[in-house]
Amino acid sequence: MWWELKNKPSKTKVFILLFFWSTLTYGQIDSCLERLSQASQLYEKGKLSQVIQTLGTCPYDRGQSRVTRRNALNLMAETYVFMDSTRLAQRALLELLQIDPFYKVKEEIPEMRYLRQQVINYPGVEISGFFGVYLFSKPYFKSTEVFPGANLANRKYSFKGADGDFDIDWGYQAGAEIGLALHRHSRFDLHVGANISRYSFRYLMELENVINPAAESGRADLFVAEKHLWLRVPLYLSYSLVPREEIVNRYLIPYIKFGGSFDHLVRGTAKLPALNLKYANIADPYTASSQRIDSYRNSNTISALLGAGLKLHLRRGFFLLDAQYTQTLQNLRKEKVERLVIEDYRYVDNDFTLGNLSLRLGVGVFLFNAKVK
Protein backbone atom coordinates (compact mmCIF):
# COMPACT_ATOMS: atom_id res chain seq x y z
CA MET A 1 0.00 0.00 0.00
CA TRP A 2 2.78 2.49 0.98
CA TRP A 3 4.66 1.57 -2.18
CA GLU A 4 1.56 2.36 -4.23
CA LEU A 5 1.13 5.76 -2.50
CA LYS A 6 4.77 6.67 -3.12
CA ASN A 7 4.33 5.93 -6.77
CA LYS A 8 1.11 7.89 -7.26
CA PRO A 9 1.26 10.78 -9.72
CA SER A 10 2.70 14.02 -8.33
CA LYS A 11 -0.69 15.79 -8.61
CA THR A 12 -2.18 13.34 -6.09
CA LYS A 13 0.63 13.95 -3.64
CA VAL A 14 0.23 17.71 -3.95
CA PHE A 15 -3.53 17.38 -3.36
CA ILE A 16 -2.94 15.33 -0.20
CA LEU A 17 -0.42 17.83 1.16
CA LEU A 18 -2.74 20.76 0.45
CA PHE A 19 -5.61 18.94 2.17
CA PHE A 20 -3.59 18.38 5.35
CA TRP A 21 -2.22 21.95 5.26
CA SER A 22 -5.70 23.50 4.88
CA THR A 23 -7.06 21.27 7.65
CA LEU A 24 -4.30 22.33 10.04
CA THR A 25 -4.69 26.02 9.12
CA TYR A 26 -8.44 25.91 9.57
CA GLY A 27 -7.99 24.23 12.94
CA GLN A 28 -5.46 26.88 14.00
CA ILE A 29 -7.74 29.78 13.03
CA ASP A 30 -10.66 28.14 14.82
CA SER A 31 -8.43 27.66 17.86
CA CYS A 32 -7.52 31.39 18.03
CA LEU A 33 -11.15 32.45 17.61
CA GLU A 34 -12.15 30.08 20.39
CA ARG A 35 -9.29 31.32 22.57
CA LEU A 36 -10.41 34.90 22.02
CA SER A 37 -13.99 34.03 22.96
CA GLN A 38 -12.88 32.19 26.11
CA ALA A 39 -10.47 35.02 27.05
CA SER A 40 -13.25 37.59 26.71
CA GLN A 41 -15.42 35.60 29.13
CA LEU A 42 -12.54 35.33 31.60
CA TYR A 43 -11.91 39.09 31.28
CA GLU A 44 -15.54 39.81 32.23
CA LYS A 45 -15.09 37.61 35.32
CA GLY A 46 -11.91 39.46 36.32
CA LYS A 47 -9.59 36.46 35.87
CA LEU A 48 -6.85 38.55 34.28
CA SER A 49 -3.91 36.16 34.48
CA GLN A 50 -6.00 33.44 32.84
CA VAL A 51 -6.89 35.88 30.03
CA ILE A 52 -3.22 36.18 29.04
CA GLN A 53 -2.67 32.45 29.31
CA THR A 54 -5.72 31.72 27.17
CA LEU A 55 -4.78 34.17 24.44
CA GLY A 56 -1.31 32.65 24.18
CA THR A 57 0.50 33.70 21.00
CA CYS A 58 -2.66 34.45 19.01
CA PRO A 59 -2.36 38.28 19.23
CA TYR A 60 1.08 38.17 17.57
CA ASP A 61 0.31 35.38 15.10
CA ARG A 62 0.51 37.00 11.66
CA GLY A 63 -1.30 34.03 10.18
CA GLN A 64 -4.53 35.19 11.80
CA SER A 65 -6.95 37.67 10.26
CA ARG A 66 -6.48 41.37 10.98
CA VAL A 67 -9.82 41.49 12.84
CA THR A 68 -8.91 38.58 15.09
CA ARG A 69 -5.47 39.98 15.90
CA ARG A 70 -6.85 43.47 16.47
CA ASN A 71 -9.47 42.26 18.96
CA ALA A 72 -6.98 40.00 20.71
CA LEU A 73 -4.37 42.75 21.04
CA ASN A 74 -6.93 45.21 22.40
CA LEU A 75 -8.04 42.64 24.99
CA MET A 76 -4.42 41.93 25.88
CA ALA A 77 -3.61 45.64 26.29
CA GLU A 78 -6.62 46.23 28.56
CA THR A 79 -5.75 43.17 30.65
CA TYR A 80 -2.13 44.23 31.12
CA VAL A 81 -3.26 47.73 32.08
CA PHE A 82 -5.37 46.36 34.92
CA MET A 83 -2.48 44.10 35.94
CA ASP A 84 -0.23 47.21 36.17
CA SER A 85 2.07 45.77 33.51
CA THR A 86 2.48 49.05 31.63
CA ARG A 87 5.36 47.98 29.41
CA LEU A 88 3.55 44.86 28.20
CA ALA A 89 0.38 46.90 27.66
CA GLN A 90 2.36 49.37 25.56
CA ARG A 91 3.82 46.55 23.51
CA ALA A 92 0.34 45.18 22.74
CA LEU A 93 -0.99 48.65 21.88
CA LEU A 94 1.95 49.40 19.57
CA GLU A 95 1.35 46.14 17.69
CA LEU A 96 -2.36 46.98 17.49
CA LEU A 97 -1.66 50.40 15.98
CA GLN A 98 0.68 48.85 13.42
CA ILE A 99 -2.26 46.77 12.22
CA ASP A 100 -4.81 49.58 12.42
CA PRO A 101 -3.39 53.11 12.87
CA PHE A 102 -6.92 54.49 13.27
CA TYR A 103 -8.06 52.16 16.06
CA LYS A 104 -9.87 53.95 18.91
CA VAL A 105 -9.30 52.61 22.41
CA LYS A 106 -12.10 52.71 24.99
CA GLU A 107 -11.96 56.30 26.22
CA GLU A 108 -14.27 55.42 29.12
CA ILE A 109 -11.42 53.42 30.65
CA PRO A 110 -9.08 56.08 32.16
CA GLU A 111 -6.12 53.69 32.17
CA MET A 112 -6.51 52.99 28.44
CA ARG A 113 -6.94 56.67 27.67
CA TYR A 114 -3.71 57.43 29.54
CA LEU A 115 -1.93 54.54 27.81
CA ARG A 116 -2.95 55.87 24.39
CA GLN A 117 -1.60 59.30 25.30
CA GLN A 118 1.82 57.75 25.89
CA VAL A 119 2.01 56.44 22.32
CA ILE A 120 2.58 58.45 19.15
CA ASN A 121 1.15 57.16 15.89
CA TYR A 122 2.64 58.84 12.83
CA PRO A 123 3.38 58.37 9.11
CA GLY A 124 7.00 57.28 8.84
CA VAL A 125 6.98 56.80 5.07
CA GLU A 126 4.87 58.13 2.24
CA ILE A 127 4.84 56.99 -1.38
CA SER A 128 3.15 59.01 -4.12
CA GLY A 129 2.74 59.28 -7.86
CA PHE A 130 1.74 62.44 -9.70
CA PHE A 131 1.03 64.15 -12.99
CA GLY A 132 1.32 67.88 -13.58
CA VAL A 133 1.29 70.61 -16.19
CA TYR A 134 3.72 73.50 -16.50
CA LEU A 135 1.79 76.75 -16.34
CA PHE A 136 4.82 78.35 -17.91
CA SER A 137 8.47 77.67 -18.71
CA LYS A 138 10.29 80.97 -19.01
CA PRO A 139 13.84 81.54 -20.25
CA TYR A 140 15.97 84.10 -18.39
CA PHE A 141 18.57 85.31 -20.87
CA LYS A 142 22.10 86.09 -19.78
CA SER A 143 23.27 87.47 -23.12
CA THR A 144 21.94 89.67 -25.94
CA GLU A 145 23.64 88.18 -28.98
CA VAL A 146 21.93 89.01 -32.31
CA PHE A 147 22.67 88.48 -35.96
CA PRO A 148 25.64 90.58 -37.16
CA GLY A 149 24.56 94.10 -38.12
CA ALA A 150 21.18 93.88 -36.38
CA ASN A 151 20.11 95.45 -33.09
CA LEU A 152 17.86 93.96 -30.41
CA ALA A 153 15.00 96.35 -29.71
CA ASN A 154 13.05 94.05 -27.40
CA ARG A 155 12.79 90.42 -26.34
CA LYS A 156 9.73 89.10 -24.56
CA TYR A 157 8.27 85.84 -23.37
CA SER A 158 5.22 84.74 -25.38
CA PHE A 159 2.17 82.57 -24.69
CA LYS A 160 1.02 83.13 -28.24
CA GLY A 161 1.95 81.07 -31.26
CA ALA A 162 3.76 82.21 -34.37
CA ASP A 163 0.49 83.38 -35.92
CA GLY A 164 -0.36 85.51 -32.89
CA ASP A 165 -3.12 83.21 -31.61
CA PHE A 166 -3.32 82.48 -27.89
CA ASP A 167 -2.58 78.74 -28.03
CA ILE A 168 -0.50 77.56 -25.08
CA ASP A 169 1.73 74.57 -25.77
CA TRP A 170 1.66 73.00 -22.31
CA GLY A 171 4.66 71.27 -20.84
CA TYR A 172 4.05 68.38 -18.47
CA GLN A 173 5.67 66.15 -15.87
CA ALA A 174 4.93 62.72 -14.42
CA GLY A 175 6.72 60.69 -11.80
CA ALA A 176 6.86 59.14 -8.34
CA GLU A 177 8.38 60.10 -4.99
CA ILE A 178 9.05 58.58 -1.59
CA GLY A 179 9.22 60.59 1.61
CA LEU A 180 10.89 59.57 4.88
CA ALA A 181 10.23 61.14 8.29
CA LEU A 182 13.45 62.62 9.69
CA HIS A 183 12.22 62.00 13.24
CA ARG A 184 8.93 61.11 14.84
CA HIS A 185 8.84 64.47 16.63
CA SER A 186 9.92 66.46 13.56
CA ARG A 187 7.65 68.00 10.93
CA PHE A 188 10.30 67.58 8.24
CA ASP A 189 10.31 64.78 5.66
CA LEU A 190 13.12 63.99 3.23
CA HIS A 191 11.83 63.24 -0.27
CA VAL A 192 13.54 61.67 -3.26
CA GLY A 193 11.92 60.79 -6.56
CA ALA A 194 12.18 60.49 -10.31
CA ASN A 195 10.13 62.12 -13.02
CA ILE A 196 10.10 63.00 -16.67
CA SER A 197 9.51 66.64 -17.59
CA ARG A 198 8.75 68.21 -20.93
CA TYR A 199 9.55 71.91 -21.15
CA SER A 200 8.06 74.08 -23.88
CA PHE A 201 8.66 77.81 -24.16
CA ARG A 202 8.39 80.63 -26.70
CA TYR A 203 9.75 84.13 -27.05
CA LEU A 204 9.68 86.97 -29.56
CA MET A 205 12.72 88.99 -30.59
CA GLU A 206 12.06 92.43 -32.11
CA LEU A 207 15.07 93.30 -34.28
CA GLU A 208 16.18 96.51 -36.00
CA ASN A 209 18.52 97.11 -38.94
CA VAL A 210 17.89 93.62 -40.34
CA ILE A 211 18.77 93.10 -44.00
CA ASN A 212 15.87 91.39 -45.77
CA PRO A 213 16.07 89.27 -48.96
CA ALA A 214 15.52 92.43 -51.02
CA ALA A 215 18.74 93.88 -49.50
CA GLU A 216 16.73 96.48 -47.58
CA SER A 217 17.34 97.34 -43.92
CA GLY A 218 14.41 97.47 -41.53
CA ARG A 219 12.57 95.90 -38.62
CA ALA A 220 11.83 92.22 -38.22
CA ASP A 221 10.18 89.97 -35.64
CA LEU A 222 11.75 86.60 -34.93
CA PHE A 223 9.45 84.12 -33.16
CA VAL A 224 11.29 81.23 -31.47
CA ALA A 225 9.84 78.07 -29.89
CA GLU A 226 11.98 75.53 -28.05
CA LYS A 227 11.22 72.16 -26.42
CA HIS A 228 13.18 69.80 -24.17
CA LEU A 229 12.54 66.49 -22.41
CA TRP A 230 14.37 65.94 -19.11
CA LEU A 231 14.80 63.10 -16.65
CA ARG A 232 14.82 64.66 -13.19
CA VAL A 233 15.77 63.33 -9.75
CA PRO A 234 14.42 65.73 -7.09
CA LEU A 235 15.75 65.75 -3.53
CA TYR A 236 14.00 68.08 -1.12
CA LEU A 237 12.65 68.67 2.38
CA SER A 238 8.97 69.17 3.10
CA TYR A 239 7.62 70.85 6.23
CA SER A 240 4.13 69.91 7.40
CA LEU A 241 2.03 72.66 8.98
CA VAL A 242 0.31 69.91 10.99
CA PRO A 243 2.21 68.21 13.86
CA ARG A 244 3.22 64.70 12.87
CA GLU A 245 1.29 62.96 15.65
CA GLU A 246 -1.92 64.74 14.59
CA ILE A 247 -1.77 63.71 10.91
CA VAL A 248 -3.54 60.41 11.62
CA ASN A 249 -6.65 62.35 12.73
CA ARG A 250 -6.53 65.24 10.21
CA TYR A 251 -8.08 65.44 6.75
CA LEU A 252 -6.25 68.48 5.38
CA ILE A 253 -2.47 68.66 5.64
CA PRO A 254 -0.84 71.81 4.19
CA TYR A 255 2.90 71.77 3.58
CA ILE A 256 5.79 73.68 2.03
CA LYS A 257 8.89 72.25 0.39
CA PHE A 258 12.34 73.34 -0.74
CA GLY A 259 15.36 71.64 -2.21
CA GLY A 260 16.74 70.86 -5.63
CA SER A 261 17.02 68.32 -8.41
CA PHE A 262 19.54 66.77 -10.75
CA ASP A 263 18.34 67.05 -14.36
CA HIS A 264 19.47 65.11 -17.42
CA LEU A 265 18.47 66.06 -20.96
CA VAL A 266 17.06 63.14 -22.95
CA ARG A 267 19.11 62.74 -26.11
CA GLY A 268 17.38 63.88 -29.29
CA THR A 269 14.64 65.90 -27.56
CA ALA A 270 16.08 69.43 -27.58
CA LYS A 271 14.50 71.08 -30.61
CA LEU A 272 13.50 74.34 -32.19
CA PRO A 273 10.07 73.27 -33.47
CA ALA A 274 9.33 76.76 -34.80
CA LEU A 275 11.37 79.64 -36.22
CA ASN A 276 9.22 82.34 -37.78
CA LEU A 277 10.83 85.44 -39.25
CA LYS A 278 8.58 88.28 -40.36
CA TYR A 279 10.06 91.34 -42.05
CA ALA A 280 8.25 94.63 -41.64
CA ASN A 281 8.04 95.29 -45.37
CA ILE A 282 7.38 91.71 -46.57
CA ALA A 283 3.90 90.27 -46.23
CA ASP A 284 4.65 86.55 -45.91
CA PRO A 285 6.80 85.30 -43.03
CA TYR A 286 9.65 82.83 -43.41
CA THR A 287 9.05 79.62 -41.44
CA ALA A 288 11.62 76.93 -40.68
CA SER A 289 11.01 73.24 -40.06
CA SER A 290 11.87 71.66 -36.71
CA GLN A 291 15.59 71.52 -35.96
CA ARG A 292 17.48 69.46 -33.38
CA ILE A 293 19.83 71.40 -31.12
CA ASP A 294 21.04 68.70 -28.68
CA SER A 295 24.69 69.46 -29.36
CA TYR A 296 24.11 73.09 -28.32
CA ARG A 297 22.47 72.30 -24.95
CA ASN A 298 24.07 71.04 -21.74
CA SER A 299 23.12 67.45 -20.98
CA ASN A 300 23.12 67.85 -17.20
CA THR A 301 22.14 70.65 -14.88
CA ILE A 302 21.02 71.33 -11.31
CA SER A 303 17.79 73.10 -10.39
CA ALA A 304 16.53 74.78 -7.24
CA LEU A 305 13.02 73.81 -6.12
CA LEU A 306 10.38 75.60 -4.06
CA GLY A 307 6.71 74.77 -3.58
CA ALA A 308 3.62 74.52 -1.41
CA GLY A 309 0.62 72.24 -1.42
CA LEU A 310 -2.19 70.46 0.35
CA LYS A 311 -2.85 66.78 1.05
CA LEU A 312 -6.35 65.39 1.51
CA HIS A 313 -5.86 62.52 3.94
CA LEU A 314 -8.24 59.56 3.64
CA ARG A 315 -7.32 56.70 5.99
CA ARG A 316 -4.01 55.25 4.74
CA GLY A 317 -4.10 57.14 1.43
CA PHE A 318 -4.12 60.75 0.33
CA PHE A 319 -4.58 63.04 -2.64
CA LEU A 320 -2.20 65.92 -3.17
CA LEU A 321 -2.37 69.21 -5.01
CA ASP A 322 0.63 71.50 -5.08
CA ALA A 323 2.35 74.27 -6.98
CA GLN A 324 6.06 73.96 -7.63
CA TYR A 325 8.64 76.33 -9.06
CA THR A 326 12.02 75.14 -10.33
CA GLN A 327 14.90 77.26 -11.59
CA THR A 328 17.93 75.87 -13.39
CA LEU A 329 21.12 77.14 -11.78
CA GLN A 330 23.37 76.69 -14.80
CA ASN A 331 23.41 78.04 -18.32
CA LEU A 332 21.56 75.64 -20.63
CA ARG A 333 23.52 76.70 -23.70
CA LYS A 334 26.62 74.55 -24.03
CA GLU A 335 29.48 77.02 -23.77
CA LYS A 336 32.14 74.61 -25.05
CA VAL A 337 30.75 74.59 -28.58
CA GLU A 338 30.46 77.39 -31.11
CA ARG A 339 27.32 79.49 -30.74
CA LEU A 340 24.48 78.30 -32.98
CA VAL A 341 23.66 80.69 -35.83
CA ILE A 342 20.89 80.04 -38.36
CA GLU A 343 21.59 82.67 -40.99
CA ASP A 344 18.43 82.31 -43.09
CA TYR A 345 16.28 83.16 -40.07
CA ARG A 346 18.65 85.63 -38.38
CA TYR A 347 18.73 83.37 -35.31
CA VAL A 348 21.61 83.49 -32.84
CA ASP A 349 21.67 81.26 -29.76
CA ASN A 350 21.90 83.00 -26.39
CA ASP A 351 22.87 82.06 -22.84
CA PHE A 352 19.89 81.42 -20.59
CA THR A 353 18.53 79.62 -17.55
CA LEU A 354 14.99 78.28 -17.33
CA GLY A 355 12.29 78.86 -14.73
CA ASN A 356 9.29 76.49 -14.58
CA LEU A 357 6.03 76.79 -12.65
CA SER A 358 3.95 73.62 -12.45
CA LEU A 359 0.67 72.51 -10.93
CA ARG A 360 0.67 68.87 -9.82
CA LEU A 361 -2.07 66.43 -8.87
CA GLY A 362 -1.18 63.12 -7.26
CA VAL A 363 -2.21 60.19 -5.12
CA GLY A 364 -0.24 58.42 -2.43
CA VAL A 365 -0.21 56.20 0.62
CA PHE A 366 1.04 56.67 4.18
CA LEU A 367 2.93 53.90 5.98
CA PHE A 368 2.23 54.50 9.65
CA ASN A 369 4.46 53.67 12.57
CA ALA A 370 3.86 53.67 16.33
CA LYS A 371 6.33 54.47 19.12
CA VAL A 372 6.26 55.29 22.79
CA LYS A 373 6.74 59.03 23.30
Side-chain angles (χ1 to χ4, degrees):
M1 176 68 70
W2 172 246
W3 180 87
E4 291 179 355
L5 182 60
K6 286 179 62 178
N7 289 273
K8 288 285 185 181
S10 58
K11 289 184 178 180
T12 303
K13 295 180 181 179
V14 171
F15 175 79
I16 294 172
L17 289 174
L18 287 175
F19 174 79
F20 281 113
W21 178 83
S22 62
T23 302
L24 290 172
T25 303
Y26 182 79
Q28 185 182 20
I29 293 175
D30 268 2
S31 176
C32 276
L33 288 174
E34 291 174 3
R35 284 174 177 269
L36 179 59
S37 176
Q38 294 172 9
S40 298
Q41 295 174 16
L42 292 169
Y43 176 82
E44 294 298 329
K45 296 177 181 179
K47 300 179 180 181
L48 302 182
S49 60
Q50 294 183 37
V51 171
I52 301 301
Q53 293 175 3
T54 302
L55 287 174
T57 60
C58 286
Y60 298 99
D61 183 358
R62 297 183 183 276
Q64 302 302 315
S65 69
R66 292 169 60 90
V67 175
T68 300
R69 290 190 63 205
R70 185 177 61 192
N71 293 335
L73 286 165
N74 179 71
L75 181 58
M76 178 174 277
E78 291 183 10
T79 303
Y80 276 132
V81 160
F82 290 124
M83 294 174 67
D84 294 326
S85 299
T86 304
R87 184 167 297 180
L88 292 174
Q90 287 177 343
R91 180 191 174 198
L93 181 59
L94 290 175
E95 185 72 14
L96 171 58
L97 292 176
Q98 292 284 4
I99 297 173
D100 185 356
F102 311 98
Y103 189 83
K104 303 292 184 183
V105 300
K106 295 179 180 178
E107 294 287 333
E108 63 270 20
I109 303 178
E111 292 85 355
M112 286 299 293
R113 186 169 62 249
Y114 177 76
L115 181 69
R116 181 64 182 88
Q117 292 171 353
Q118 304 309 305
V119 174
I120 178 175
N121 191 24
Y122 64 95
V125 178
E126 64 176 72
I127 303 171
S128 62
F130 62 86
F131 178 83
V133 295
Y134 285 104
L135 303 181
F136 70 77
S137 295
K138 185 176 181 180
Y140 295 94
F141 291 97
K142 307 299 181 182
S143 63
T144 57
E145 299 291 332
V146 293
F147 195 77
N151 297 321
L152 179 62
N154 190 23
R155 179 169 49 196
K156 56 186 180 182
Y157 176 75
S158 177
F159 276 114
K160 297 180 179 180
D163 55 3
D165 292 337
F166 191 80
D167 55 342
I168 300 176
D169 186 13
W170 299 103
Y172 62 84
Q173 61 173 319
E177 294 176 350
I178 182 170
L180 304 174
L182 293 186
H183 190 272
R184 64 178 181 269
H185 296 302
S186 171
R187 298 192 188 189
F188 285 100
D189 288 336
L190 178 65
H191 296 256
V192 64
N195 68 65
I196 187 166
S197 294
R198 175 185 179 270
Y199 301 145
S200 177
F201 57 94
R202 304 161 171 173
Y203 58 94
L204 183 67
M205 299 180 66
E206 298 175 356
L207 305 173
E208 296 178 337
N209 301 322
V210 179
I211 305 300
N212 64 25
E216 300 172 341
S217 178
R219 294 179 61 89
D221 292 336
L222 175 60
F223 174 86
V224 181
E226 188 166 337
K227 293 181 180 180
H228 307 156
L229 192 66
W230 294 80
L231 295 177
R232 304 178 62 243
V233 180
L235 180 67
Y236 65 89
L237 288 173
S238 69
Y239 178 81
S240 172
L241 300 184
V242 175
R244 189 173 299 279
E245 64 271 18
E246 295 181 16
I247 289 178
V248 68
N249 297 317
R250 296 285 289 269
Y251 289 106
L252 297 179
I253 308 167
Y255 62 92
I256 58 176
K257 59 183 180 178
F258 54 90
S261 69
F262 173 79
D263 308 337
H264 175 73
L265 178 64
V266 178
R267 184 176 179 85
T269 64
K271 298 178 180 180
L272 294 176
L275 282 178
N276 188 288
L277 180 62
K278 188 176 188 310
Y279 294 101
N281 49 1
I282 298 179
D284 296 327
Y286 291 79
T287 303
S289 58
S290 179
Q291 301 188 44
R292 286 180 54 176
I293 55 172
D294 295 74
S295 57
Y296 298 94
R297 295 291 176 261
N298 284 318
S299 298
N300 301 303
T301 188
I302 296 175
S303 298
L305 180 155
L306 183 66
L310 186 69
K311 292 173 185 170
L312 174 61
H313 174 212
L314 302 171
R315 300 291 289 179
R316 294 178 184 270
F318 62 87
F319 293 99
L320 69 86
L321 176 66
D322 69 18
Q324 177 177 284
Y325 181 79
T326 59
Q327 174 67 52
T328 60
L329 301 180
Q330 299 166 298
N331 181 19
L332 292 186
R333 188 188 73 82
K334 188 177 292 185
E335 299 172 351
K336 295 181 180 180
V337 300
E338 186 177 350
R339 194 177 297 271
L340 172 63
V341 177
I342 305 177
E343 183 173 352
D344 291 344
Y345 296 91
R346 307 301 189 258
Y347 173 83
V348 179
D349 208 9
N350 274 273
D351 302 336
F352 69 97
T353 60
L354 196 61
N356 306 282
L357 177 64
S358 65
L359 189 65
R360 310 189 314 162
L361 180 65
V363 62
V365 62
F366 285 126
L367 303 182
F368 285 91
N369 200 358
K371 297 287 185 180
V372 177
K373 291 183 179 178

